[in-house]
Amino acid sequence: MPTNSKKKTQVTASPERRRELLDTAAEVFAAQGYNATTVRKIADEAGMLAGSLYYHFDSKESMLDEILSTFLDELWQGYDAVLAAGLGPRETIEALVTESFREIDRHRAAVAIYQKESRHLAAQPRFHYLTDSQQKFEKAWLGTLERGVADRVFRDDLDIRLTYRFVRDTVWVAASWYRPGGQHSPEEIARQYLSMVLDGIAVRT
């Protein structure tokens, strides 16, 4: 695409329309997989010609990059606020789980894409931030669980890494079935989830 045309698009493109197109692309990527999705398919779902999509994005890779980076930026805004709040380990787990379900509510398709695609995408230089985010994510959860065991809030016989994987996977798999606007709010789902998980890892009295 010519440079002058791209600059013009950046000035005149509607932010609302751009968001709508990214939402459409995210749903298609989540349903069909990134490699199987063509620009034409995204354009068809958006009700426009494939060529017109290039007025907004230079490639489907750029669309995917913006979808994932937007999701992760927002996720870490929430997570960093929780981790900086000075909460106890149990309260930190509760807040992280609740924030996770809120992100699934806001970015369900992006979460589904991340689940399916991040491993092979992370090998590409453009998506190396996926590896950085995963390492940061693991450090936050493992550190909180380890602190909980040390403080005798969680059982001392826990396999920390196995517990982390269980909690991580059972939270984020909700993206496969959760639909925004359903019967339960993300906060209610988090409460129900936590009541099941924490009764299994809290110290027995």
Side-chain angles (χ1 to χ4, degrees), residues 4-136:
N4 61 345
S5 175
K6 185 175 181 180
K7 287 182 178 177
K8 181 179 178 182
T9 298
Q10 291 173 338
V11 172
T12 60
S14 161
E16 293 79 13
R17 181 55 173 159
R18 186 181 183 85
R19 184 71 257 160
E20 289 173 359
L21 292 173
L22 286 171
D23 288 345
T24 298
E27 292 293 341
V28 178
F29 288 143
Q32 298 192 355
Y34 174 67
N35 289 334
T37 298
T38 62
V39 170
R40 181 179 296 278
K41 177 60 177 176
I42 297 169
D44 287 346
E45 291 294 322
M48 63 196 304
L49 296 174
S52 299
L53 197 58
Y54 287 107
Y55 283 105
H56 301 276
F57 306 96
D58 61 11
S59 66
K60 71 171 188 175
E61 183 182 58
S62 292
M63 299 183 81
L64 181 64
D65 187 5
E66 191 164 339
I67 289 164
L68 292 176
S69 62
T70 297
F71 154 59
L72 288 173
D73 285 348
E74 189 170 312
L75 175 71
W76 280 108
Q77 285 176 13
Y79 270 28
D80 286 342
V82 169
L83 295 170
L87 302 172
R90 180 181 177 121
E91 291 75 20
T92 298
I93 291 291
E94 290 173 342
L96 289 175
V97 167
T98 301
E99 189 60 37
S100 298
F101 278 108
R102 287 174 179 154
E103 287 306 306
I104 292 171
D105 182 63
R106 297 182 188 116
H107 298 290
R108 185 203 60 80
V111 174
I113 296 165
Y114 182 86
Q115 295 262 100
K116 296 176 185 176
E117 310 281 358
S118 61
R119 181 170 296 181
H120 74 265
L121 286 172
Q124 302 177 29
R126 182 168 189 168
F127 294 97
H128 187 70
Y129 62 85
L130 297 176
T131 298
D132 296 337
S133 182
Q134 177 58 38
Q135 291 173 347
K136 184 179 177 183

Side-chain angles (χ1 to χ4, degrees), residues 127-188:
F127 294 97
H128 187 70
Y129 62 85
L130 297 176
T131 298
D132 296 337
S133 182
Q134 177 58 38
Q135 291 173 347
K136 184 179 177 183
F137 186 92
E138 183 172 308
K139 182 178 178 181
W141 283 83
L142 288 175
T144 303
L145 289 167
E146 288 168 352
R147 184 160 57 95
V149 171
D151 292 351
R152 298 189 59 78
V153 175
F154 303 145
R155 297 198 327 256
D156 61 7
D157 63 337
L158 285 182
D159 182 316
I160 297 298
R161 188 164 291 275
L162 184 60
T163 303
Y164 155 68
R165 289 172 176 167
F166 169 76
V167 174
R168 176 197 65 190
D169 292 350
T170 51
V171 167
W172 292 109
V173 76
S176 67
W177 54 261
Y178 180 81
R179 293 296 178 271
Q183 181 179 358
H184 301 292
S185 69
E187 291 79 11
E188 175 58 25

